[in-house]
Amino acid sequence: MSNLLTVLLIIDSVLIVIATLMQPSKQQDALSALSGGATDLFGKQKSRGFEAFMEKVTVVLGALFFGLSLALVYLSSH
C-alpha cells in the first residue's frame, strides 16, 4: 500500500509542476514586478476560460498531494 501511495504522490507531483507551468503569466512587464503590482490592485478581474480551469486543476492537485502525503505519513507510522 505504501508503494502505491508513493507512486501516486510522484505522479501528482509531476502533474502539479505541469499544471503550474501551463498557467498563463499574470505580469505584463518588469515594471509591474518592481512596483509590486499596485497598478493591478484595482483592475483585478475574475479568471475566465483556460486560466480559471488551470487554477482549479492546480488547487485539486494540491489538495490531492496534501491528502496523499498525510496518508503516506499515517501508514509509515503504523
Side-chain angles (χ1 to χ4, degrees):
M1 187 66 164
S2 175
N3 290 336
L4 176 66
L5 287 177
T6 303
V7 169
L8 290 175
L9 191 65
I10 291 170
I11 291 171
D12 188 42
S13 300
V14 171
L15 290 176
I16 287 174
V17 169
I18 292 170
T20 304
L21 290 175
M22 287 180 63
Q23 289 183 3
S25 175
K26 293 185 180 185
Q27 292 186 355
Q28 273 62 25
D29 55 6
L31 182 60
S32 66
L34 295 174
S35 67
T39 58
D40 296 333
L41 180 62
F42 298 108
K44 177 76 175 153
Q45 294 180 349
K46 193 170 187 178
S47 304
R48 296 184 182 189
F50 181 70
E51 185 177 349
F53 174 73
M54 288 309 298
E55 285 180 8
K56 290 177 186 175
V57 166
T58 306
V59 168
V60 169
L61 288 173
L64 184 63
F65 180 85
F66 187 71
L68 286 171
S69 299
L70 287 178
L72 195 58
V73 167
Y74 179 77
L75 284 178
S76 68
S77 68
H78 283 80

